[in-house]
Amino acid sequence: MRRSVVGGVAFLSTFALSLCFCLFFIAIPLLPVLFISPKWFRVIIDLLGTFILTFFSGLMELLYGIKFVISGDKIESIPGADNLIVMNHRTRLDWMFFWCCLYRHSFKSIYNLKISLKSTLRHLLGLGWATQFSAFIFMERSFDKDKHILRNMLHYYRRVRKDINLLFFVEGTDKTQTTTQRSHAFADKNNLPRYDYVLHPRVTGFSHTMQLMSQGNLDSLYDVTVAYKHTIPQSELAILKGQFPQEVHFHVKRHKKEQLPVEDEALQDYCKELWKEKEEQLREFYTGDKRTLYSWGDQHSVECSQLRRFWLVLCIIFWISATVLSVYLILTNSLVFYYVLASCLGMAIVSRYGLDTILAKL
């Protein structure tokens, strides 16, 4: 039942409705705090985000039976320090499954999570608005524009004393047949090898991001490789059809700031080497007998403890109960209904400019 259309519809409905509950009944009423204390607004909203992402992790792992195999280095969230996380972008949903990886490492890892996303996503009902509250970074896919957006958001995080784990998809988009053909054309034009399991990275954006973060409190670069066993859910449509992956593998490799080059060209070459190794790693995973990323470094697998599983269960009970109650109130109470309607209109207007942009200017 879970891996069917019914299960897919149930998952996405729960995902969307719980986000709406979080927005309309908690986040939006907290907006006055933003103008009183931007720092405390960031703390409260990020705590809220930690709990909702923990809930989604519980949905995937406990209710939908997705197995997560996580190996390599632990993602450390050191007070007063930032991390840059780069990952291959196999599907449109890699960021969602990555929440489970971060949850295995620590609550602080999820609490500090910020993601670089396409700017069009900010307008999505529910999800787009939630990511604006979370102060994610929305890129225009134009380097001249994006370098200013990134600089402004990094300055904002420093002003409110926010440590971050910035998830940055260096490839710029997910791997599909079309984007793979574009990557091959780029490789042919620039005398580079063709890659079958990753896309060629956009090294200019990587080096610029590294240099900007190095001016602040950058501690480490985390190189994450994601791979899917059996089913690869390319997009939300796959989830809607109930095509959940049986296993999602993450391998994490830490590169301390002191180990990294400084110059622009050297950073670009460093990124190219990371992706060359990633291509080899994934080829071995998908064509070899072991079907594991363990052979690439640390054999240790980060397991989910009983205490963490218990917390997942509590989050599932709370968020589902609260979501059902909120839906009931919207359907039965006219004041609540019109409040939600007014909130939707307000967020649609604010999204034209961007709540994240407003945050960066406060």
Side-chain angles (χ1 to χ4, degrees):
M1 180 67 74
R2 292 176 298 180
R3 298 182 183 275
S4 65
V5 173
V6 174
V9 171
F11 178 86
L12 291 180
S13 298
T14 304
F15 188 100
L17 291 173
S18 57
L19 271 181
C20 289
F21 159 72
C22 186
L23 276 169
F24 299 135
F25 293 93
I26 306 179
I28 290 177
L30 286 171
L31 273 175
V33 179
L34 171 62
F35 301 98
I36 299 171
S37 174
K39 176 185 174 182
W40 278 106
F41 178 79
R42 184 76 276 129
V43 170
I44 296 169
I45 293 298
D46 287 345
L47 281 173
L48 178 62
T50 302
F51 294 136
I52 191 74
L53 296 188
T54 301
F55 164 57
F56 293 147
S57 299
L59 276 183
M60 290 184 281
E61 188 158 3
L62 300 186
L63 295 190
Y64 280 80
I66 301 173
K67 180 180 179 181
F68 290 90
V69 182
I70 301 160
S71 60
D73 298 320
K74 181 180 180 180
I75 298 178
E76 303 280 354
S77 292
I78 302 172
D82 299 330
N83 296 310
L84 177 62
I85 304 171
V86 295
M87 184 165 67
N88 59 303
H89 206 353
R90 181 60 188 86
T91 78
R92 284 168 54 96
L93 304 173
D94 298 325
W95 48 270
M96 182 178 75
F97 297 117
F98 187 59
W99 298 336
C100 295
C101 175
L102 289 177
Y103 180 73
R104 294 283 185 90
H105 286 129
S106 69
F107 287 106
K108 192 71 179 291
S109 296
I110 296 185
Y111 174 75
N112 287 346
L113 176 65
K114 302 298 171 193
I115 307 177
S116 172
L117 300 169
K118 296 178 183 178
S119 62
T120 52
L121 295 177
R122 67 151 56 97
H123 303 291
L124 293 178
L125 173 66
L127 178 61
W129 300 346
T131 53
Q132 289 182 61
F133 269 92
S134 296
F136 287 1
I137 302 176
F138 295 93
M139 297 295 200
E140 299 289 345
R141 301 187 71 183
S142 166
F143 180 70
D144 290 336
K145 294 180 181 179
D146 290 342
K147 63 182 180 182
H148 297 297
I149 294 171
L150 180 62
R151 183 183 297 110
N152 290 340
M153 291 305 297
L154 291 178
H155 285 169
Y156 163 71
Y157 299 142
R158 291 166 192 161
R159 284 201 308 274
V160 297
R161 300 179 183 178
K162 172 64 183 176
D163 303 334
I164 62 169
N165 292 326
L166 177 58
L167 176 58
F168 185 70
F169 291 105
V170 183
E171 294 163 328
T173 187
D174 58 305
K175 180 176 168 56
T176 64
Q177 184 176 357
T178 301
T179 56
T180 299
Q181 290 173 350
R182 291 175 185 166
S183 181
H184 288 343
F186 174 83
D188 296 341
K189 182 179 179 180
N190 293 276
N191 197 29
L192 297 170
R194 288 188 172 194
Y195 288 156
D196 296 318
Y197 299 95
V198 295
L199 305 176
H200 276 278
R202 300 185 178 188
V203 294
T204 301
F206 169 80
S207 62
H208 182 73
T209 303
M210 278 292 305
Q211 289 173 332
L212 277 181
M213 294 188 68
S214 295
Q215 294 170 12
N217 302 313
L218 181 68
D219 176 73
S220 298
L221 167 70
Y222 286 94
D223 172 29
V224 180
T225 302
V226 58
Y228 297 87
K229 199 168 184 178
H230 305 306
T231 303
I232 301 178
Q234 191 62 46
S235 67
E236 297 84 353
L237 183 59
I239 296 298
L240 186 63
K241 295 177 180 178
Q243 297 172 358
F244 295 90
Q246 283 79 4
E247 291 183 15
V248 185
H249 291 242
F250 290 100
H251 186 76
V252 181
K253 186 175 181 180
R254 185 183 187 186
H255 304 258
K256 291 284 290 180
K257 180 182 177 181
E258 297 76 17
Q259 302 173 310
L260 301 171
V262 177
E263 298 299 324
D264 185 66
E265 186 174 348
L267 280 169
Q268 293 185 19
D269 290 339
Y270 198 87
C271 182
K272 291 176 183 177
E273 284 301 313
L274 291 181
W275 250 250
K276 179 181 178 182
E277 181 177 298
K278 210 178 286 289
E279 169 74 7
E280 297 171 2
Q281 185 180 14
L282 289 168
R283 177 180 290 108
E284 182 177 309
F285 178 88
Y286 285 113
T287 63
D289 296 330
K290 293 184 179 180
R291 298 299 298 273
T292 178
L293 300 176
Y294 280 7
S295 58
W296 289 75
D298 193 347
Q299 304 291 315
H300 176 63
S301 178
V302 184
E303 301 296 336
C304 190
S305 66
Q306 290 299 319
L307 179 61
R308 289 188 185 277
R309 285 185 177 275
F310 178 69
W311 181 247
L312 288 177
V313 172
L314 289 182
C315 284
I316 289 172
I317 293 172
F318 170 78
W319 284 106
I320 290 181
S321 301
T323 301
V324 170
L325 177 61
S326 67
V327 171
Y328 172 78
L329 289 174
I330 292 170
L331 295 177
T332 59
N333 189 303
S334 59
L335 287 178
V336 175
F337 174 80
Y338 286 116
Y339 159 73
V340 170
L341 197 62
S343 297
C344 287
L345 179 60
M347 284 305 303
I349 294 171
V350 169
S351 294
R352 291 182 63 86
Y353 185 68
L355 179 60
D356 54 297
T357 305
I358 297 173
L359 291 173
K361 293 181 181 293
L362 287 177

